[in-house]
Amino acid sequence: GDRKSGRRSRALPAIQLCQDYAAVGAKGAAGSSGLKNSNVVRMGRSVWDLISQLWTRGGAGESEALAAMGAWLQQTIQDEIQEEIEESKRGGASFERKIYSNLTGHMLHRAMKCARDAQYWRLSVLVTRAGLCHEDVAAQLQSWDDSTKISISGDLRKIFHLLSGDVSVHCQDVSWMRALGIHLWYANAAWPSDQGAAAASGSLVPREEKAIRAVVGKQWEKTLKSVVQSYENHSNDNGRHPAVAPYPPHAAAAVDGKGRTVRVGQRGQDLRFSILKLYCEREAFEGG
């Protein structure tokens, strides 16, 4: 007991240092628009924010750890979501597209407002229950599949598909942090199991994947470790829809500055994903 207490007390200055670094980065970025937009500054601040979130808020238990990771993910990907929505507006995108973009960033209030503005009353209610209504939404998708008289837009189908918990086709053309968030906020009970890989190679609404349908209604008691593993399984899948891998920002592209193809093994791993993996294995180096 005393040894563990001593270890925690020695760790506190390090946690405080991380928080101080994050605060300094935020203050510096706020004082200069050029600095704020610097990729180096944003990356540095993101790293220190993640560490301080996990080892302060996340130290109290699994639910707090998940909340800490979720808060960090939302903060980190909000610019990506906003840029996508602004681009959609310029292209005259539908309400459905805006709802979908907001959902993938777990911006539920904005998604619900868009749904209500489009007079999708039932969808606005489902948005408030995102992550809790997998079985009902999956049944609705199956009903649409079985009907020959109902036709829905591709974007609306994607929204319901995401809310059903099958995230197989939602984690490709986004950042790895957004893909991880999608697994955290929406993935159903298939994903921590071997059946998740089967879903990733299926169609948008896989009629033949009865095994996937069977586990949609099961409860997945999510932990930070199981969510990270769920996403990592998806990114390592060799099916038609693997999730984007956690490459570092400077190596996310498939070609280098001279136009040469970069081998996957040469791209490395984003430091922030390495930190998340380290946190998942913290008991091994904290003595249990």
Side-chain angles (χ1 to χ4, degrees):
D2 292 341
R3 187 176 66 175
K4 284 189 177 182
S5 176
R7 180 163 56 245
R8 282 196 297 267
S9 65
R10 288 195 298 274
L12 286 176
I15 294 172
Q16 184 61 53
L17 182 62
C18 293
Q19 292 174 321
D20 290 345
Y21 272 122
V24 168
K27 183 178 180 180
S32 168
S33 59
L35 187 60
K36 181 178 181 179
N37 294 324
S38 166
N39 290 333
V40 174
V41 170
R42 285 194 294 184
M43 176 67 173
R45 180 185 176 188
S46 180
V47 168
W48 294 118
D49 276 340
L50 175 59
I51 295 172
S52 61
Q53 283 269 17
L54 289 178
W55 269 272
T56 51
R57 288 183 60 186
E62 283 297 341
S63 61
E64 289 80 4
L66 279 175
M69 182 172 73
W72 175 78
L73 286 170
Q74 280 189 289
Q75 177 183 338
T76 304
I77 65 177
Q78 62 181 349
D79 288 344
E80 177 186 351
I81 302 292
Q82 192 57 42
E83 287 173 9
E84 182 175 285
I85 291 174
E86 290 300 323
E87 185 176 343
S88 296
K89 287 180 180 178
R90 291 192 292 270
S94 63
F95 274 107
E96 292 92 336
R97 185 63 198 176
K98 296 172 188 175
I99 295 168
Y100 178 77
S101 293
N102 280 308
L103 278 176
T104 59
H106 208 236
M107 299 176 181
L108 301 185
H109 179 73
R110 293 183 184 178
M112 182 179 66
K113 184 179 183 304
C114 285
R116 293 172 73 175
D117 289 345
Q119 298 185 351
Y120 286 131
W121 308 117
R122 185 184 176 207
L123 177 57
S124 69
V125 174
L126 289 175
V127 167
T128 66
R129 301 186 65 244
L132 303 173
C133 54
H134 293 152
E135 193 169 9
D136 292 340
V137 178
Q140 177 65 77
L141 282 168
Q142 191 64 58
S143 175
W144 284 335
D145 278 355
D146 294 339
S147 173
T148 58
K149 299 179 180 179
I150 299 176
S151 177
I152 62 172
S153 72
D155 284 333
L156 187 59
R157 180 177 289 273
K158 285 179 69 176
I159 291 169
F160 275 82
H161 193 255
L162 179 64
L163 291 174
S164 78
D166 183 352
V167 300
S168 57
V169 296
H170 303 282
C171 299
Q172 287 73 44
D173 299 321
V174 294
S175 68
W176 72 262
M177 290 160 289
R178 195 165 165 189
L180 175 61
I182 288 171
H183 273 262
L184 168 62
W185 298 313
Y186 301 105
N188 63 33
W191 287 95
S193 71
D194 293 337
Q195 292 170 320
S201 59
S203 60
L204 185 62
V205 183
R207 294 170 183 266
E208 71 283 6
E209 297 292 350
K210 293 182 179 179
I212 301 303
R213 293 292 189 206
V215 298
V216 164
K218 293 183 180 179
Q219 185 66 32
W220 172 14
E221 295 295 336
K222 292 184 178 180
T223 64
L224 190 147
K225 185 173 183 177
S226 70
V227 171
V228 169
Q229 186 62 55
S230 171
Y231 157 70
E232 193 169 29
N233 287 345
H234 194 181
S235 69
N236 290 331
D237 180 68
N238 292 321
R240 286 184 292 169
H241 304 295
V244 61
Y247 299 130
H250 65 274
V255 295
D256 63 16
K258 297 182 179 179
R260 297 174 299 192
T261 300
V262 180
R263 292 178 181 270
V264 172
Q266 295 174 335
R267 296 189 202 175
Q269 187 176 84
D270 194 309
L271 173 60
R272 294 164 292 184
F273 188 71
S274 298
I275 291 170
L276 284 168
K277 294 278 287 182
L278 180 67
Y279 184 83
C280 290
E281 305 300 331
R282 65 194 182 283
E283 290 186 357
F285 60 83
E286 287 182 351

